[in-house]
Amino acid sequence: MTTRPKLNPTAALRPWLLPLCLASVGAWGWACQDDGPDDADSSNGDDDDGPDDADGPGSATNDASGRDDATAGGSDVSRRDVLWSIGTGVIAPATAEFATQATALDAAVQLYATRGSEDSRAAAREAWREAAHDWQQLEVMQVGPAASSLVGTGGEDLRDAIYSWPTADSCSIDRAVVGEDYLADDFFVTELVWSYGLDALEYLLFNESTAHTCPAQVQLDGPWAALGTDELARRRAAYAGVVAGGIAARARELAGRWAGDGGNFGALLADQGASDSPYANEAEAMDEVFRAIFYISKITKDAKLGIPIGIVAGCAAPPCIGLMEAPFSGDAAVAMRANLEGLALMVKGGPDAATADGFDDLLRQMGEGQIADDLLAAIDVAIAATEAYDTSLQAEVAADPEALGDLYAAIKGVTDIIKGPFVMALMLTVPADGGGDLD
C-alpha cells in the first residue's frame, strides 16, 4: 500500500548505533530502547507514555472496534494502533480459531477412545494436524495469558498447558499408561505439562510402537508387558481422550482471555492506562510483542532445526534426530511453516496488510519501508523452503545430515532482519534470553 513517509530523527544515528548495540548486548535496556514518543507515534501531539485519548481504544473518534478507520492501515499509524491491531486483529481471532479446532479435536478423539477403530484413529490424527497447525501460528503470539509467568509480563503459563515442546518426556506418558494415572480427578494438577498437551497427544495418536520409552532404571518392563497389545491400545486411546478434553478446556480459557466480550486482553495490550493492564507503558507492551515473535529465532531456527542438525551448539553428535519436533506425526516442516505464517500476521498486524496497522506500517512512515519489504519477502522465501519437504524432516536428516542446510539458511534470512535492522529501527529490546543469539 502507498504510505506517506515521515521524518525519522534517529535515521542519522543508526549507522553507528546498530554495531554499537549489537556489540553491547547488555546495554539493550538503555541504549537500544525508545522510552518516549517518536515520529512514529507522536503525530497527535501527545508527549507522554499514558493513554492517548485522541486515537486510542475507546476514544470518541474511534468506532466500536477501538480503531480509527481514518488511519487503519494508513500512513498516520501510532505504536498504540499497532498494539491494538495485533491484539484484537491477530491474537484474539487466532485464539478463537484454535479453540474451535481444539473442540473438534476433542470430539474426534473421544470417538476414537470409544470405538478404537482405525478409521476413528485416522480421523483423530487429522483433527490433531489441523489443531496443531493453528497452535503453531500461536507459538509466535505468546503475549499475556499464553506467556510464561517467569519471562512474560502478564504471563499465565497457558501455553505450556497446551503445548510444552521442547520440554517433552514420553516415558512419563508410558508410566501414566501403566498406572492409569490419567483417570485421576487431579491429573492436570499433579502431573507435569509433558504428560498432557498437543505433544503428548501426538505420541498417543501417532506412535506405532508397542514398546515403552523408559530407561532400564525405571523398571517398567514387567508391568508394560503384562498389559498386552489390546489393553495397551485401549489405554492409549482412553488417555488420549482425557488429554484432548484438557486441551479443549485450556483453548477455550485462552480464547476467553482475549475475547472482546471476555477478558479483552487485546485492549489491555493497547491501553496501558487501564487499571487492569499489566503493562506500565507503550514501550513495555511493544517489547512484549517483540519477545513473542523472537520465538522464530530461538525456537524455530535454533531449537527446531539448528541444534538437531549441528549448526547451533547443543547436539553432541549431529544429527540429533531425537531433538526434533513432531517425531511421531512427521509434521516438523508444517510446524515451522505455521510459525512463519504467524510471524507474517504479527508483522502486518492482520491478514490484510492494506487495512491492518502493523510493524510494516510503522517502518514505512519512518522512511524504513525497505526493512518491511525485505522482512516480508524473507518470510515468503522461508515459507516456500518449508514447502519443499513433504516427508518427515527426521527421515530427511537420517538420509542426509546436511539436507536441511538450505532450510536453515532461509529461516536465518528472516531472523537476521529481525535481530538487526528491524529491532534497531523500531528501538525494541531484545529478550533477556535472546541476548546471546547473534548468529
Side-chain angles (χ1 to χ4, degrees), residues 4 54-55 61-63 65 67-77 81 354-355 357:
R4 174 170 55 86
D55 64 358
T61 61
N62 291 327
D63 63 15
S65 71
R67 290 172 55 208
D68 185 347
D69 284 341
T71 62
S75 59
D76 295 321
V77 178
D81 292 330
T355 58
D357 296 325

Side-chain angles (χ1 to χ4, degrees), residues 172-430:
S172 292
I173 301 172
D174 293 334
R175 293 174 65 185
V177 166
V178 169
E180 293 187 286
D181 302 340
Y182 52 86
L183 297 178
D185 292 338
D186 60 352
F187 175 71
F188 292 101
V189 176
T190 59
E191 296 297 320
L192 297 175
V193 291
W194 53 55
S195 295
Y196 50 85
L198 286 168
D199 36 349
L201 186 56
E202 179 198 11
Y203 179 70
L204 292 166
L205 291 178
F206 290 87
N207 180 25
E208 298 286 358
S209 174
T210 57
H212 68 78
T213 57
C214 295
Q217 56 265 35
V218 176
Q219 298 182 352
L220 201 64
D221 289 350
W224 187 267
L227 292 178
T229 303
D230 291 343
E231 179 62 11
L232 174 61
R234 186 196 70 78
R235 291 193 185 189
R236 280 178 170 173
Y239 189 172
V242 172
V243 171
I247 292 170
R250 298 293 81 71
R252 289 190 291 270
E253 181 181 356
L254 179 61
R257 295 288 287 109
W258 283 92
D261 57 355
N264 202 15
F265 199 87
L268 301 182
L269 178 67
D271 190 359
Q272 303 85 35
S275 60
D276 48 352
S277 175
Y279 306 108
N281 51 52
E282 210 169 63
E284 184 178 27
M286 289 287 285
D287 284 339
E288 275 298 291
V289 171
F290 182 66
R291 180 195 54 75
I293 68 176
F294 207 80
Y295 176 103
I296 212 75
S297 180
K298 295 296 294 183
I299 305 298
T300 306
K301 174 176 67 70
D302 292 348
K304 296 187 179 188
L305 198 55
I307 293 174
I309 65 178
I311 293 178
V312 178
C315 172
C320 291
I321 297 176
L323 297 180
M324 299 186 76
E325 190 178 26
F328 303 100
S329 64
D331 281 0
V334 175
M336 293 181 195
R337 181 158 61 251
N339 293 162
L340 291 160
E341 291 167 352
L343 173 64
L345 287 171
M346 294 288 273
V347 171
K348 294 184 290 187
D352 184 1
T355 58
D357 296 325
F359 286 110
D360 56 338
D361 297 303
L362 280 181
L363 288 166
R364 295 186 201 289
Q365 78 172 19
M366 293 168 63
E368 300 286 5
Q370 190 62 52
I371 297 175
D373 292 341
D374 290 346
L375 177 56
L376 292 172
I379 293 172
D380 287 342
V381 168
I383 288 175
T386 66
E387 293 171 344
Y389 299 93
D390 55 5
T391 59
S392 165
L393 290 190
Q394 287 85 349
E396 293 278 354
V397 172
D400 179 5
E402 299 181 358
L404 303 184
D406 289 345
L407 177 57
Y408 177 85
I411 298 176
K412 187 175 184 297
V414 174
T415 62
D416 282 350
I417 297 173
I418 289 176
K419 294 184 296 182
F422 181 86
V423 70
M424 288 302 305
L426 294 171
M427 290 296 179
L428 300 169
T429 303
V430 171

Side-chain angles (χ1 to χ4, degrees), residues 90-104:
V90 177
I91 303 179
T95 57
E97 176 60 25
F98 175 68
T100 299
Q101 293 291 352
T103 299

